[in-house]
Amino acid sequence: MSTRVDRTAGVVGTGLTKRYRGTVAVDGVDLEVSGGVVGLLGPNGAGKSTVLRMAATVLAPDSGSLSLLGLDPSHHDERVEIRRRLGYLPQDPGLYPGFTPFDLVDYVAVLKELTDPGRRRDEVRRVLEEVDLADVMHKKIRKLSGGMRQRVALAAAMVGRPDLLVLDEPASGLDPEQRLRLRSLLSAAPTVLMSTHDTSEVAALCHRVVVLLAGMVVFDGTPGDLAELARGRVWEDDRQDPDAFRSWQTAEGAWRHLGEPPPAAGLVDPTLDDGYLLLARGTHR
Amino acid sequence: MTAAALAPAWVRPTARALPTAPLLGAAVAVVGLATARLLVDGFTSAPPGLLEALLAGTVVAALHDPAADLLAASPTGRLHRHAHRLWLVLPLALALWVLPTAAGDLVDSTGWPTGPVVALTATGVALALLLPGPSGVTLGSAVTLAWGAATFVVPPEDAGLLLPWLHHPWLHCAAVAAVLGLTLPRRRR
């Protein structure tokens, strides 16, 4: 097999399975991502981070086949080649508190084999400017806010203009303005696979969403398709409906219900939340 | 051209990323005890096992990397990054052990042997390399400390068997190297 990266190949996984001490974390996942921003959506423990760790070459699947950027990550040389063209943001990126953002991203660039000091310095400045950290690039990380630290880690993932970005909850800790900035950053990347448990992030960032429940893919489509799953099963009323499988009060004070609507119910347009909640409760048939 | 300019680019950031507090603590302990031994008996008695364990445990602790997850998908892999850290720490640790004992030679003694501390360090480092994640470093440090402390409780007649790092250090090192040689190639991720 050639060790040349295919920039457009993205992630192709078939039957990916991973167990931890007998517990199945990921169960026969098929995933194909080539271009655009694809969101993995699911509750805590659904297996999102495990799938991302496999897609980032950090974890090997117990079974199934995986191809990244057209290469096989189970072979050492090909894995190194993939890693040269891959950016990874883990869910809990530990940082060195005594480093500055510049130092940290520079170190990541060194490990990513950007050997020319001048070009490396330019690249580090570029990514830090892209995540809006130019003003604090020489301030100690321990003095930065949580959102800024998240952006430092994001900048580290983006060093070298990777062809494949694997991001575990990238918008965590970001304010609305930074989320908007993230949106434009991600739209410029060739292929992005990201996880979230926030449907508003999916709506804002992703052109495609894959819902994982208990380690299995239960939905794969556009955010609009996910919302449409709940069409005809969402209604609003001025009081709680005990027969609805899920009811909650909206900011306007009305009660919103999910489930089998009673006759003459005031059906409303479904949202992404509605479609996801229906899937998550296993009531969608 | 300065030495800094000639050094590989990873040297400075790796050195800065090392946990300095344990290294300084071990340095103070080794130098302090070595000085005390020099003054009391001129290094004619063996070093306490715990001191060897402290130094070995400190070397292993230097492999703890709080940013390991962030760097996990780097083309410079985990073992490679560990090697960077060991490249910086091992000479320091060895110097810390050998230099004070070299002072013992000045007072006509043999100084402290290096074999046991090397064997104990090799054990801890091997565990840190073989086990994934931070648990490897934790276990590696814990085993070196516990095995060093065991010198206080193991009866002399059993010491040859239960404390191979102390009584057969180079054989112990060879065994550790063999285990690493057999298992590491399969754990290169």
Side-chain angles (χ1 to χ4, degrees), chain A residues 56-60 73 76 79 83 86 88 90 94-96 98-99 103 107-108 110-112, chain B residues 9-10 13-14 16-17 65-67 69-77 81 84-85 188-189:
Chain A
T57 74
V58 176
L59 204 62
H76 177 262
R79 185 165 64 246
R83 288 178 173 184
L86 179 141
Y88 173 52
L95 306 171
Y96 305 120
F99 277 42
D103 294 338
Y107 182 40
V108 172
V110 166
L111 296 178
K112 224 166 179 177
Chain B
W10 57 265
T14 305
R16 287 187 59 206
D65 185 355
D69 279 351
L70 184 70
L71 306 176
S74 159
T76 309
R81 296 195 307 276
H84 286 170
R85 285 171 173 249
R188 292 172 78 184
R189 194 172 285 259

Side-chain angles (χ1 to χ4, degrees), chain A residues 132-197:
Chain A
D132 199 20
L133 286 176
D135 293 345
V136 294
M137 69 167 78
H138 297 300
K139 204 171 169 180
K140 297 277 190 208
I141 287 173
R142 71 166 64 92
K143 293 182 178 169
L144 302 182
S145 69
M148 285 179 172
R149 290 179 194 200
Q150 178 73 357
R151 281 184 278 149
V152 173
L154 190 61
M158 294 172 65
V159 162
R161 299 180 192 271
D163 296 318
L164 172 61
L165 269 176
V166 179
L167 311 174
D168 203 342
E169 305 199 6
S172 166
L174 300 187
D175 60 35
E177 191 185 335
Q178 293 303 332
R179 284 180 186 225
L180 277 178
R181 199 176 181 107
L182 177 67
R183 188 177 182 176
S184 62
L185 278 178
L186 298 189
S187 63
T191 301
V192 181
L193 178 62
M194 59 169 272
S195 77
T196 179
H197 47 68

Side-chain angles (χ1 to χ4, degrees), chain B residues 44-58:
Chain B
T44 51
S45 60
L50 204 55
L51 190 63
E52 286 156 324
L54 176 69
L55 191 61
T58 302

Side-chain angles (χ1 to χ4, degrees), chain B:
Chain B
M1 190 174 272
T2 65
L6 287 170
W10 57 265
V11 170
R12 192 166 166 268
T14 305
R16 287 187 59 206
L18 290 172
T20 47
L23 288 168
L24 284 174
V28 168
V30 171
V31 171
L33 267 167
T35 306
R37 278 291 165 102
L38 179 64
L39 294 175
V40 171
D41 63 12
F43 280 110
T44 51
S45 60
L50 204 55
L51 190 63
E52 286 156 324
L54 176 69
L55 191 61
T58 302
V59 170
V60 180
L63 298 179
H64 171 67
D65 185 355
D69 279 351
L70 184 70
L71 306 176
S74 159
T76 309
R78 183 179 77 100
L79 293 180
H80 205 143
R81 296 195 307 276
H82 278 344
H84 286 170
R85 285 171 173 249
L86 290 173
W87 194 88
L88 294 173
V89 170
L90 281 175
L92 278 179
L94 197 63
L96 195 60
W97 190 256
V98 170
L99 289 181
T101 59
D105 294 337
L106 298 177
V107 291
D108 200 24
S109 79
T110 55
W112 283 343
T114 51
V117 75
V118 170
L120 212 47
T121 304
T123 307
V125 168
L127 284 170
L129 296 182
L130 291 176
L131 297 173
S135 59
V137 175
T138 306
L139 189 71
S141 298
V143 165
T144 52
L145 287 172
W147 221 354
T151 52
F152 293 115
V153 292
V154 170
E157 61 271 23
D158 298 330
L161 184 68
L162 298 178
L163 303 173
W165 63 268
L166 185 60
H167 293 279
H168 314 287
W170 301 114
L171 200 61
H172 183 104
C173 286
V176 170
V179 170
L180 278 181
L182 287 172
T183 50
L184 263 191
R186 283 180 286 163
R187 293 171 183 267
R188 292 172 78 184
R189 194 172 285 259

